Every structure is written in structure tokens, then in C-alpha cells.
Amino acid sequence: MRAVVVGGGASGRAIGAAIAARGWTVQVSSRRTGLDVLRDDVAAALEGADVVVEATGRFTTSRRRATGFFVRSTTAIGSAAAAVGARHVLLSIVGCERSEVQGYGYFAGKAAQERAAAATGAALTVVRSTQWHEFAAQNAERFRLGRMALVPGMAVAPVALDSVAGVVGEVVTGTRRGSRFEVAGPQVTTLRAMTEALPALARHVVPMRIPGALGRAFRDGALLPGPDVEIVGPSFDEWAAL
Ligand SMILES: NC(=O)c1ccc[n+]([C@@H]2O[C@H](COP(=O)([O-])OP(=O)(O)OC[C@H]3O[C@@H](n4cnc5c(N)ncnc54)[C@H](OP(=O)(O)O)[C@@H]3O)[C@@H](O)[C@H]2O)c1
């Protein structure tokens, strides 16, 4: 059995390893390996695949740019999956559709992506997670000013990327069947505390206050999981101590 993971970032690599560990043949593809989902023939790249995992990303806070990218990516990948008879597995974010976070363009883009993915005709499973433990490093990289990292006020229940990749691996290989899975980590903390716990990320952690209702929503827990979300370890503290 064969899977293609589209997206060569941290998640694409972790998911590729999780699928290979379960005995499937897997290829991780992205622009770096010659597949641009916005330009190339994605169906040709999926020839012979039983499942395609969409782990593409483009960081932007612009609603127009985020929606443009995520909708185009998922339409191309889902339509190609439908054309070759492959299942489509999409990575998404717990709470991205909540009204109070739609002012953040990235989440509006992810919510639009989920809607577009459902319309391509491919058999779809959405695997949603909360922010990964690795998100502290991604954020510090995105909002770095010299040796300072700007960190927005945000309550989170972070989850280890390897644990999310394991869930995706089970969905791909058929151990888990369903149209949606949601996972979160066991510990509620803040993005600031996560960043401060990893001193290699930045010498100075500078709180960034997001104004208005959106900032309040992030601080007050709009991204925290609801009661039905599956909890998977390790906790952030356990992971950071490794
Ligand atoms: N970060 C989190 O905490 C978190 C939590 C839950 C869900 N997610 C979701 O998980 C997904 C993956 O996140 P990530 O952080 O691994 O992503 P990322 O690092 O932002 O980007 C993933 C990869 O997408 C590839 N890509 C971008 N444009 C492409 C294109 N036109 N064609 C083909 N590949 C393209 C890039 O590889 P190349 O440069 O080689 O093309 C990049 O390495 C995102 O949708 C994100 O929203 C993230």
C-alpha cells in the first residue's frame, strides 16, 4: 500500500516516518522535491497512491492570502485524489472555525480549507489537532527580532507532533476509520510559558499583545479543546524535559 504526503515541513516529515513505521510505502513531496500543488499536475504525482496526506502550509496573517493558498492547495489535492481513487487526509486545527478567531486570517484560511476539502469528491478524513509542542519554535522563528521572540498571549493545550503523526498514520493505514479526529495534549499552558521553557529559542521573550476581541479570545482560551477531543501525551513538560 502506498501513501503520498504533500508538504515537506516538520509535520510532513513526522507523518512520513509514522506511515513508514506502519509498513506502508510513503513518499513525502513538496516544491523541494519538484511538486508544486498550485502549478503542477497533482493527479500525476498521486498515480498508484491509496492515500494522500495534505500537510502543506504557508504562514500569513492575511485572510485573503491564507484563504487563497489553503483553498487552492486542498482543491488541487482533493480533486487529484478523487481522480485517482485515493483517500484524502487533511491536517487542520482544533477550533479554527470558531467565530471569535475568524479575525485571524490564518484560521479563516484553515476553516475555508476544511469546507473546500469536503467538496472535492474524495473520501476525506480531517485530523485536527491543537498547537504542537513544536509550535513554540515555529512562532519564535516567525516573530523573531534579533535575539528577541515576540509571543502573542495565547492559552493552549499543546500536543506532540509525533503523537499527531501517529494518529495520522493510523488513519492512513486504516486502523482508525472516520471522517474527523480531534486530538490535544493533556496540559493547558500558554505560548509564552512554552517559549520560556525552551531557552534555546530566544534570549528574550517579549509578550505581544493582540488588541481587541481577537486578542481576548486567544488569551481566554478560544483555541482550547472541547470536552470530546481525544487527549494524547506526552505533556509539554514531559516532552521539553526529554
Ligand atoms: N503548527 C501547528 O501547531 C499546527 C497544528 C495543527 C495543524 N497544523 C497544520 O498542519 C499543516 C502543516 O503545518 P506545518 O507547520 O508542517 O507547515 P509549514 O511548515 O508551514 O509548511 C509545510 C510545507 O508545505 C510545503 N508547501 C508550501 N507550499 C507548497 C506548494 N505550493 N506545493 C507543495 N508544497 C508546498 C512546504 O514545503 P516546500 O517549501 O518544500 O514546498 C512546507 O515545508 C498546516 O496546514 C497547519 O495549519 C499546524
Side-chain angles (χ1 to χ4, degrees), residues 162-229:
D162 277 343
S163 303
V164 178
V167 171
V168 175
E170 290 171 3
V171 169
V172 167
T173 55
T175 315
R176 286 180 186 248
R177 290 168 194 270
S179 58
R180 173 183 295 197
F181 295 94
E182 293 197 291
V183 293
Q187 179 184 358
V188 174
T189 180
T190 63
L191 184 55
R192 178 178 176 180
M194 291 167 68
T195 311
E196 287 173 343
L198 301 171
L201 294 184
R203 176 162 289 191
H204 304 293
V205 174
V206 180
M208 176 166 63
R209 192 173 173 81
I210 300 180
L214 178 64
R216 267 196 309 282
F218 281 162
R219 290 190 292 277
D220 292 351
L223 299 175
L224 293 179
D228 297 334
V229 171

Side-chain angles (χ1 to χ4, degrees), residues 9 11 30-32 35-37 56-57 106 110 129 132 138:
S11 63
S30 68
R31 291 169 302 185
R32 225 169 306 159
L35 176 65
D36 185 331
V37 295
T56 55
Y106 190 86
K110 291 297 291 181
S129 78
W132 308 324
Q138 289 181 316

